[in-house]
Amino acid sequence: MTVGKKILLAHGGGGRLTNEFINEIILPAFDNKTLSGLTDSAEIKLDSPNICFTTDSYVVKPLFFNGGDIGKLAVCGTLNDLAVSGSKPVAISLAMIIEEGLEIEILRKILNSAAQTAKQQNVSIVCGDTKVVESGSVDKIFINTSGIGTKLPGAKLGFDEIKTGDAIIISGTIGDHGMTIMSQREGIKFESSLKSDCASVGELCISLIETFGSDIKFMRDPTRGGLAATLNEIADKINCSIEIYEEKIPANSTVKAAAEMLGFDILEIANEGKFIAIVSADKAEQCLKLCQTSPNGKDAAFIGQIADKGQPLVELITAVNGRRIVQMPYGRELPRIC
Amino acid sequence: MTVGKKILLAHGGGGRLTNEFINEIILPAFDNKTLSGLTDSAEIKLDSPNICFTTDSYVVKPLFFNGGDIGKLAVCGTLNDLAVSGSKPVAISLAMIIEEGLEIEILRKILNSAAQTAKQQNVSIVCGDTKVVESGSVDKIFINTSGIGTKLPGAKLGFDEIKTGDAIIISGTIGDHGMTIMSQREGIKFESSLKSDCASVGELCISLIETFGSDIKFMRDPTRGGLAATLNEIADKINCSIEIYEEKIPANSTVKAAAEMLGFDILEIANEGKFIAIVSADKAEQCLKLCQTSPNGKDAAFIGQIADKGQPLVELITAVNGRRIVQMPYGRELPRIC
């Protein structure tokens, strides 16, 4: 191997070492013709001119965690943004900013993980970029992925579609990703039984839309800020109130215990393989059943509904029928969670 | 202003402060309906399903330099990648990774610059992302832009189109961007008379393709690694030799002096508002004339041709008719130049 064991500034310099790096590290990981052309941009022929386009940067710390790593996360995160927008993913870009001195073996693991995740979801990583900065100017590696998807013909999603009485479904347990990262970062004992939910929910979202069409009104993946942020955004955007039932919200007991121990509200914790769907009330039961047939939706649950109190408000109805207002999180709780 | 004077971790946390930040800083800078929807991805209706897709991260240091800043650079860089691929830009994403503590005023300047550049080129910034990391985990701010363009019907570009005898044109002086950054970084006196060429070459590329069609065989913007890297890549890829004439390569005298003083080969210095075009020999004169009518091509020059020596080789023919091999740069010369 001519590339050596550690990343050098020259690997990002655009010269001979960049070429070696691309040929020995990048191309073998992402084996596809479009990328191998090494043109200034990837040429793609789409099935439809109606597209969704999204971008996200990933700065998660640590780079490897139970259930995933920054490579898998970067691919799943962007695929999920396309999925909840009602589109079928077509192509992904992957751009890295790497700290000089990073071990090539670490990078290789991350890239293989990203490549494998993309392959499993039948999407190609078609273009990319590598920058290397001096030691101390970035913490190991940050990754940006952008994605293009073609809009599903049956998708009619949007804040405007949501009506009073619509049901809210969550595709599974909440808080798994955030609590895994935090526990691992704090070095807390129960970390071994915590596992990030990092996964692509694309197939399930597509099958919901293809089956129920316009009865699926809105979808979103509750990442940073968790369920609390997502529901508050909806309430705010459409000026409605939302009621959710504490007892119906699925969560793993270890996640609950970890959140309690570290003083977090589980509703505010990031998820990386879940989505909420707001659906017509009379289709809620059927939607739920469809979700539960998928490995990514086996713990799906009906958790509440769009109410109408004349003001944007998210309320949690507790086990004893008490009510607590769920506020938009402040945002400082969990830095570098994704 | 509720956002305050400095970037906080919470501005990237996905909660209330992120919302304030988006509403007060991001949306006013990029005033467009698609972005303001704040959906998980931007919905776009394209004119054509044949697209180009590209991504680049920008880590330039310093953030502000004579002739531009990281915001302008991030937009121009991606527009140029689309342009030299023979496409018309449609949409751009902009994702930032910001260091906690960065002054909001600096960020605002960068965003306004990016927005203004995009507006001038009639392209919208339709989606974005903001991550904030702890002080010390990133050097101030890094930006990723990805871009989508629709392929021009008349474009027939590609390594395979290049033939022996084709002419090589450069759209203007070389080395301006790289030497401006280096001089400014080193605090060298002549910095004031150096100015980055940071600009979008989109319009000129489009008009070349629309006018000359398949006689434009290949285009590329010689950024990292400069003209030396770009020409070597071509020679390598199509197994041809390339001859360029030292006296014909346009360069500002201050740039030449700065390169000499700092010990750089000007052929290896990054450009951020230039492209090379490989064109049919019998159309070279006309192409050149068209370039020279554009402000971004006024110093355009014919600099050499595709030769045939049976091996990949780039040769510089000197003023006294000597020959020197132009090697692929090693890549360590100029870190964080873009």
Side-chain angles (χ1 to χ4, degrees):
Chain A
M1 196 176 76
T2 56
V3 162
K5 289 193 170 171
K6 297 209 172 193
I7 288 288
L8 307 173
L9 279 176
H11 287 133
R16 192 158 58 79
L17 261 67
T18 301
N19 282 6
E20 281 177 17
F21 174 76
I22 290 175
N23 287 320
E24 290 180 31
I25 309 289
I26 305 285
L27 295 185
F30 306 102
D31 181 27
N32 75 69
K33 221 179 125 191
T34 315
L35 188 68
S36 312
L38 295 179
T39 44
D40 286 288
S41 71
E43 259 185 69
I44 307 169
K45 195 170 165 55
L46 301 170
D47 293 333
S48 154
N50 296 312
I51 64 162
C52 289
F53 180 31
T54 188
T55 190
D56 259 319
S57 295
Y58 297 85
V59 298
V60 67
K61 181 182 179 177
L63 296 175
F64 298 89
F65 47 83
N66 198 13
D69 56 72
I70 192 172
K72 180 181 179 187
L73 183 66
V75 172
C76 288
T78 286
L79 289 179
N80 290 346
D81 279 341
L82 292 175
V84 296
S85 308
S87 70
K88 190 172 155 257
V90 175
I92 282 189
S93 66
L94 190 144
M96 302 181 284
I97 301 171
I98 311 175
E99 185 178 18
E100 176 189 15
L102 183 77
E103 284 173 39
I104 298 267
E105 208 36 50
I106 290 180
L107 184 64
R108 210 188 286 268
K109 273 186 200 160
I110 291 169
L111 291 177
N112 285 339
S113 171
Q116 199 189 347
T117 308
K119 201 171 179 183
Q120 281 163 356
Q121 303 300 320
N122 284 315
V123 64
S124 294
I125 292 173
V126 296
C127 55
D129 179 48
T130 304
K131 294 286 188 304
V132 180
V133 298
E134 335 77 272
S135 173
S137 288
V138 77
D139 187 9
K140 295 191 178 80
I141 180 171
F142 294 162
I143 296 181
N144 175 282
T145 51
S146 300
I148 297 174
T150 46
K151 191 88 186 170
L152 296 170
K156 209 182 163 200
L157 301 168
F159 288 114
D160 297 345
E161 306 295 324
I162 303 173
K163 300 277 175 303
T164 302
D166 283 348
I168 304 170
I169 286 172
I170 181 117
S171 66
T173 56
I174 65 167
D176 301 85
H177 178 73
M179 289 323 304
T180 304
I181 299 293
M182 287 311 287
S183 304
Q184 207 163 321
R185 222 188 276 166
E186 308 282 328
I188 290 172
K189 286 270 159 42
F190 47 57
E191 69 179 63
S192 62
S193 56
L194 288 173
K195 189 176 172 189
S196 165
D197 57 342
C198 178
S200 160
V201 296
E203 272 182 48
L204 182 49
C205 290
I206 291 174
S207 98
L208 276 173
I209 288 168
E210 287 183 340
T211 311
F212 299 103
S214 60
D215 281 312
I216 310 293
K217 313 292 195 74
F218 185 86
M219 298 195 286
R220 179 159 282 185
D221 49 336
T223 57
R224 282 182 287 179
L227 197 55
T230 300
L231 295 179
N232 269 286
E233 272 164 35
I234 296 168
D236 233 45
K237 197 85 184 174
I238 62 171
N239 200 29
C240 71
S241 52
I242 290 176
E243 292 169 334
I244 51 172
Y245 303 97
E246 190 169 26
E247 289 211 310
K248 293 185 189 287
I249 300 169
N252 285 314
S253 55
T254 333
V255 171
K256 279 186 188 170
E260 207 158 298
M261 182 172 164
L262 294 171
F264 290 113
D265 179 350
I266 197 172
L267 295 175
E268 300 185 352
I269 306 299
N271 309 279
E272 290 292 343
K274 300 291 153 49
F275 64 93
I276 64 150
I278 300 185
V279 308
S280 305
D282 60 341
K283 292 287 176 0
E285 198 58 41
Q286 286 168 266
C287 288
L288 207 52
K289 276 193 184 141
L290 191 150
C291 287
Q292 288 161 349
T293 60
S294 153
N296 284 328
K298 64 180 169 47
D299 298 316
F302 162 79
I303 58 165
Q305 62 270 328
I306 307 296
D308 186 8
K309 302 257 168 108
Q311 58 172 320
L313 192 72
V314 180
E315 283 185 306
L316 182 77
I317 301 173
T318 64
V320 294
N321 226 11
R323 283 176 178 258
R324 158 165 100 75
I325 290 175
V326 178
Q327 282 199 290
M328 176 60 103
Y330 183 79
R332 206 179 57 186
E333 298 75 11
L334 298 162
R336 298 186 62 184
I337 210 71
C338 60
Chain B
M1 195 177 78
T2 57
V3 162
K5 290 193 168 172
K6 298 210 170 191
I7 288 287
L8 307 173
L9 279 177
H11 286 133
R16 191 158 58 80
L17 261 67
T18 302
N19 282 7
E20 281 177 17
F21 174 77
I22 289 174
N23 287 319
E24 291 180 29
I25 308 291
I26 306 287
L27 296 185
F30 306 102
D31 182 27
N32 76 69
K33 221 180 123 189
T34 315
L35 189 67
S36 312
L38 296 178
T39 44
D40 287 288
S41 72
E43 259 185 69
I44 306 168
K45 195 169 164 56
L46 301 169
D47 292 335
S48 153
N50 297 312
I51 65 163
C52 290
F53 180 32
T54 188
T55 191
D56 258 319
S57 295
Y58 298 85
V59 297
V60 67
K61 181 182 178 177
L63 297 176
F64 298 88
F65 47 84
N66 198 13
D69 56 72
I70 191 172
K72 180 181 179 186
L73 183 67
V75 173
C76 288
T78 287
L79 289 179
N80 289 346
D81 279 341
L82 292 176
V84 297
S85 308
S87 71
K88 191 173 153 258
V90 175
I92 282 190
S93 66
L94 189 145
M96 302 181 283
I97 301 171
I98 311 175
E99 185 178 18
E100 176 189 15
L102 183 76
E103 283 173 39
I104 298 266
E105 210 34 51
I106 290 180
L107 184 64
R108 211 188 285 269
K109 274 188 198 156
I110 292 169
L111 291 177
N112 285 339
S113 171
Q116 199 188 348
T117 307
K119 200 171 177 182
Q120 281 164 356
Q121 302 301 319
N122 284 317
V123 65
S124 294
I125 293 174
V126 295
C127 54
D129 179 48
T130 304
K131 294 286 190 302
V132 180
V133 297
E134 336 75 273
S135 173
S137 287
V138 77
D139 187 8
K140 295 191 179 80
I141 179 170
F142 294 162
I143 296 181
N144 175 281
T145 51
S146 300
I148 297 174
T150 46
K151 192 89 187 170
L152 295 169
K156 209 181 163 199
L157 301 168
F159 288 114
D160 297 345
E161 306 296 323
I162 303 171
K163 300 275 174 304
T164 303
D166 284 346
I168 304 171
I169 286 173
I170 181 117
S171 66
T173 56
I174 65 167
D176 301 84
H177 178 74
M179 288 324 303
T180 303
I181 299 291
M182 287 311 287
S183 304
Q184 207 162 321
R185 222 188 277 167
E186 309 280 329
I188 289 170
K189 285 271 159 44
F190 46 57
E191 68 180 63
S192 63
S193 57
L194 289 172
K195 189 177 173 188
S196 165
D197 57 343
C198 179
S200 159
V201 296
E203 272 181 49
L204 182 50
C205 290
I206 290 174
S207 100
L208 276 173
I209 287 168
E210 287 182 342
T211 312
F212 299 103
S214 61
D215 281 313
I216 310 294
K217 313 289 195 77
F218 185 86
M219 298 196 285
R220 180 159 281 187
D221 49 337
T223 57
R224 281 182 287 179
L227 197 56
T230 300
L231 295 178
N232 269 287
E233 272 164 36
I234 297 167
D236 233 46
K237 196 84 183 176
I238 62 173
N239 201 27
C240 72
S241 51
I242 290 176
E243 293 170 333
I244 52 173
Y245 303 96
E246 189 169 28
E247 288 210 310
K248 293 185 188 285
I249 299 169
N252 285 314
S253 55
T254 333
V255 171
K256 279 187 188 169
E260 206 157 298
M261 183 173 162
L262 295 170
F264 291 111
D265 179 350
I266 198 172
L267 294 175
E268 299 185 352
I269 306 298
N271 310 279
E272 289 293 343
K274 299 290 153 49
F275 63 94
I276 64 150
I278 300 185
V279 308
S280 304
D282 60 341
K283 293 286 175 0
E285 198 59 41
Q286 286 168 265
C287 289
L288 206 52
K289 275 191 185 143
L290 190 150
C291 288
Q292 288 160 348
T293 61
S294 155
N296 284 329
K298 63 180 170 48
D299 298 317
F302 161 81
I303 58 167
Q305 62 269 327
I306 307 295
D308 186 10
K309 302 257 167 107
Q311 58 173 320
L313 192 72
V314 179
E315 282 185 306
L316 183 76
I317 301 173
T318 65
V320 294
N321 227 8
R323 285 176 177 255
R324 155 166 101 75
I325 290 175
V326 178
Q327 282 199 289
M328 176 60 102
Y330 182 78
R332 206 178 55 184
E333 298 76 10
L334 297 163
R336 298 187 59 184
I337 210 73
C338 61

